[in-house]
Amino acid sequence: DAGVTQSPTHLIKTRGQQVTLRCSPKSGHDTVSWYQQALGQGPQFIFQYYEEEERQRGNFPDRFSGHQFPNYSSELNVNALLLGDSALYLCASRQTSGRLHEQFFGPGTRLTVL
Amino acid sequence: QKEVEQDPGPLSVPEGAIVSLNCTYSNSAFQYFMWYRQYSRKGPELLMYTYSSGNKEDGRFTAQVDKSSKYISLFIRDSQPSDSATYLCAIENSGGSNYKLTFGKGTLLTVNP
């Protein structure tokens, strides 16, 4: 089991550009969430996808958008990048059915905005 | 008041010490409690998960939840240098299809040989 995978590992962009980050959930998981983790902080919830729909959203502007594909993989898109968007972006997956509430994280994508 | 409060430390202990890490939370709707370990520049790794008040043990790790006080703890026995990491408490409010995790700030732990 490969666990949650994310790509790319690192990314450097300039202000105003757009970026797409990718996530493949753990095998058997159907719900994907995205988190932003600034240096020295805990992860902050961006949004969650299930059945290819955004089910819940955190306090992030519309510049942050996402998508979930039929194979449960997901993308996070950020438009009009700001310096403050520099962070570690984490993807987490879980099973929606059943009684298991564990959420497993990928290694993250480190985004630097110059 | 933040939904989840965690003392960021840093915490430095000698090898073999018992470590106590704590979080408090404000939302009574929170139902599921997790502890993650995060090594520098890596993704969080799930250590413990529990949903009821009381203790849950896994090897050297014990997770404790007191819902009446809204207080959760992680104890590490016989701490090792390899335990040096940031420990994050995370709480899931599982009402309906809400699976959002709310995290504490994380506590940076260093175990000295």
Side-chain angles (χ1 to χ4, degrees):
Chain A
D1 183 2
V4 180
T5 60
Q6 291 185 245
S7 63
T9 305
H10 296 91
L11 209 48
I12 298 175
K13 293 287 188 178
T14 56
R15 279 179 298 175
Q17 285 189 312
Q18 178 265 343
V19 68
T20 298
L21 311 181
R22 295 176 176 81
C23 169
S24 290
K26 183 177 169 66
S27 177
H29 287 188
D30 54 8
T31 299
V32 172
S33 301
W34 287 91
Y35 291 80
Q36 181 195 65
Q37 186 177 25
L39 203 59
Q41 303 294 317
Q44 297 292 313
F45 176 77
I46 302 175
F47 43 52
Q48 185 174 89
Y49 279 85
Y50 171 63
E51 291 186 335
E52 302 179 50
E53 289 187 6
E54 182 182 297
R55 293 303 180 105
Q56 194 183 6
R57 188 177 186 92
N59 189 25
F60 280 80
D62 292 345
R63 297 187 297 109
F64 290 78
S65 64
H67 188 77
Q68 186 179 35
F69 299 94
N71 67 352
Y72 309 120
S73 66
S74 177
E75 287 182 350
L76 164 65
N77 300 293
V78 187
N79 294 322
L81 285 167
L82 303 174
L83 295 179
D85 295 331
S86 295
L88 181 66
Y89 287 85
L90 296 162
C91 170
S93 72
R94 80 187 297 285
Q95 262 183 353
T96 296
S97 61
R99 294 161 52 192
L100 297 176
H101 286 259
E102 294 99 328
Q103 295 198 36
F104 295 92
F105 282 81
T109 294
R110 185 161 298 280
L111 173 65
T112 302
V113 182
L114 302 176
Chain B
Q1 181 186 12
K2 285 198 168 185
E3 286 190 293
V4 180
E5 301 269 11
Q6 182 176 10
D7 185 345
L11 186 60
S12 181
V13 301
E15 184 175 352
I18 296 174
V19 176
S20 172
L21 304 165
N22 309 294
C23 288
T24 59
Y25 63 95
S26 58
N27 188 343
S28 298
F30 285 154
Q31 300 181 33
Y32 296 88
F33 308 90
M34 300 172 209
W35 284 95
Y36 288 86
R37 177 174 62 194
Q38 186 174 28
Y39 291 112
S40 180
R41 307 181 79 83
K42 303 289 187 185
E45 170 195 7
L46 181 64
L47 275 179
M48 302 281 289
Y49 145 68
T50 184
Y51 62 92
S52 59
S53 282
N55 294 350
K56 181 177 181 180
E57 195 171 311
D58 184 1
R60 296 184 295 110
F61 298 90
T62 300
Q64 190 175 79
V65 175
D66 182 348
K67 287 188 175 181
S68 62
S69 302
K70 299 190 184 69
Y71 193 86
I72 62 174
S73 301
L74 178 71
F75 298 96
I76 307 174
R77 289 184 302 280
D78 187 25
S79 56
Q80 303 295 309
S82 58
D83 294 329
S84 298
T86 295
Y87 289 81
L88 296 154
C89 62
I91 307 178
E92 181 186 273
N93 177 355
S94 300
S97 60
N98 177 351
Y99 301 125
K100 165 189 169 183
L101 287 177
T102 302
F103 281 86
K105 240 182 147 177
T107 300
L108 178 60
L109 171 67
T110 301
V111 180
N112 301 298

